[in-house]
Amino acid sequence: MRFLATAEQREFARTLDALLGACGTPAVARAWAAGEHKPGRELWARIAAAGVFALAVPERHGGMGPLPVELALSFVELGRHAVPGPLAETVAAAAFLERLGESATAPELLPRIAAGDAVVSLCVRGPFAVDADAADAVLVVEGDTVRRTVAHGPVQASLDPARRPARPLGGDVLATGPAVAAAAAHAVEVARLVTAAQSLGLGRALLAATVSYAKQRTQFHRPIGSFQAVKHRLANTLIGLEFAQPLVYAAALALAADAPSAGREVAAAKVAAGEAAHAAALTALQVHGAVGYTAELDLSLWIRKARPLRDAWGTPAECRARVLAAS
């Protein structure tokens, strides 16, 4: 199995990294957390113009996909820059509608998702939908029924303030039957894959920021990065991320090939990347010391994402159970 990205894929990732780096994502994330969605929607449009959301949408609906490998590469960069919004949920909604088959909703929403005109939240695994207050559509799957809601309850507090859950209310039934449950299962796998990729990018960013700080911060007239205990902590964090990366790309390849093992591989990637990013957050917090706790430091935007991403779309325990159930 080939794990290395092609030259074209690497160039796409570099371009997206440069685009996001020039967009000032910390300010966008802070505005999103405060309920101001305009900067986030502008950033969303730029991400769509780069072709990210089209990767999740079939060509017959105006997209270029589905292309799980390219999606994974994209979401590594989105995680690296802590982009706010229901990114995984929108991509998962596209996968759900594509797998559900032709309906009145797919021709309406899929071209809009590809173009960046529709922000969609998908609720499959619980009572809350992420960023329902910012979404143009919220799809709620309950067993073998899916409904589309337009109303939601109050936004709930979250460890990641830029991740705003709310309970969907009411809505019209779009479809019922076994096809709904099957499409939802596929959407969960896609959501897990891109969330794992987000975690990988997030962990990389946290490690880079922490290494940079360890080189600058001095104690006893020496950079703290020169102390063995700090070196070991940083090395262990890097090892976790390095081990997670091939699992994420292997899972993307398995999903692209619709391999029977795809669900197991995606679950394994989700565990490894989520745990590695969470460990990177703990390392960042410890090495930065008290300043790491302050909300004013942009680093907090990354630190506070790590645990919610680790637990989103399947906790580590749930994903480990998925791996064991399939073996």
Side-chain angles (χ1 to χ4, degrees):
M1 183 175 288
R2 179 180 172 82
F3 292 112
L4 289 176
T6 65
E8 186 179 14
Q9 289 169 336
R10 291 196 297 272
E11 182 58 30
F12 175 62
R14 277 195 295 268
T15 301
L16 188 58
D17 179 29
L19 183 153
L20 295 172
C23 286
T25 53
V28 176
R30 292 185 190 280
W32 191 275
E36 299 174 24
H37 300 135
K38 185 170 182 288
R41 291 298 294 254
E42 291 173 351
L43 177 58
W44 192 279
R46 299 188 69 175
I47 294 169
V52 172
F53 298 116
L55 298 172
V57 176
E59 290 184 12
R60 67 180 182 281
H61 289 297
M64 298 182 289
L67 296 171
V69 175
E70 285 75 8
L71 269 176
L73 290 167
S74 301
F75 271 72
V76 168
E77 302 309 323
L78 297 176
R80 191 191 308 276
H81 292 277
V83 176
L87 299 159
E89 288 72 19
T90 295
V91 166
F96 172 79
L97 291 171
E98 188 270 335
R99 190 60 66 99
L100 188 60
E102 295 301 327
S103 66
T105 305
E108 177 213 339
L109 277 184
L110 287 176
R112 293 178 59 202
I113 289 174
D117 295 332
V119 175
V120 183
S121 190
L122 178 66
C123 178
V124 177
R125 304 179 58 83
F128 298 107
V130 174
D131 297 312
D133 61 324
D136 300 295
V138 178
L139 304 180
V140 181
V141 178
E142 294 172 324
D144 61 357
T145 300
V146 57
R147 54 190 170 87
R148 179 175 177 175
T149 72
V150 293
H152 60 83
V155 174
Q156 304 295 308
S158 171
L159 184 60
D160 176 9
R163 188 177 177 86
R164 297 161 55 83
R167 188 185 295 272
L169 302 175
D172 299 324
V173 173
L174 298 179
T176 62
V180 172
H186 174 65
V188 168
E189 290 183 355
V190 172
R192 283 180 176 174
L193 171 67
V194 296
T195 303
Q198 261 186 296
S199 295
L200 182 61
L202 186 91
R204 294 277 189 200
L206 283 166
L207 179 60
T210 306
V211 168
S212 176
Y213 182 78
K215 291 178 179 176
Q216 299 171 16
R217 176 79 166 87
T218 59
Q219 189 67 270
F220 308 115
H221 308 292
R222 293 171 56 190
I224 61 173
S226 65
F227 297 121
Q228 193 174 48
V230 176
K231 287 181 180 177
H232 284 180
R233 186 72 188 255
L234 295 173
N236 287 337
T237 302
L238 176 61
I239 289 170
L241 293 167
E242 288 291 312
F243 272 103
Q245 179 167 304
L247 290 178
V248 171
Y249 294 150
L253 288 168
L255 204 57
D258 204 15
S261 64
R264 178 168 58 89
E265 296 197 42
V266 168
K270 176 72 169 49
V271 171
E275 296 281 31
H278 188 237
L282 295 178
T283 298
L285 199 57
Q286 183 173 26
V287 173
H288 279 78
V291 72
Y293 285 89
T294 59
E296 290 77 9
L297 191 70
D298 283 346
L299 187 75
S300 67
L301 300 172
W302 278 259
I303 289 176
R304 298 183 71 172
K305 276 187 177 300
R307 185 170 175 180
L309 282 179
R310 185 196 66 175
D311 295 341
W313 296 101
T315 64
E318 290 172 324
C319 289
R320 287 191 177 97
R322 175 72 177 89
V323 173
L324 292 174
S327 59

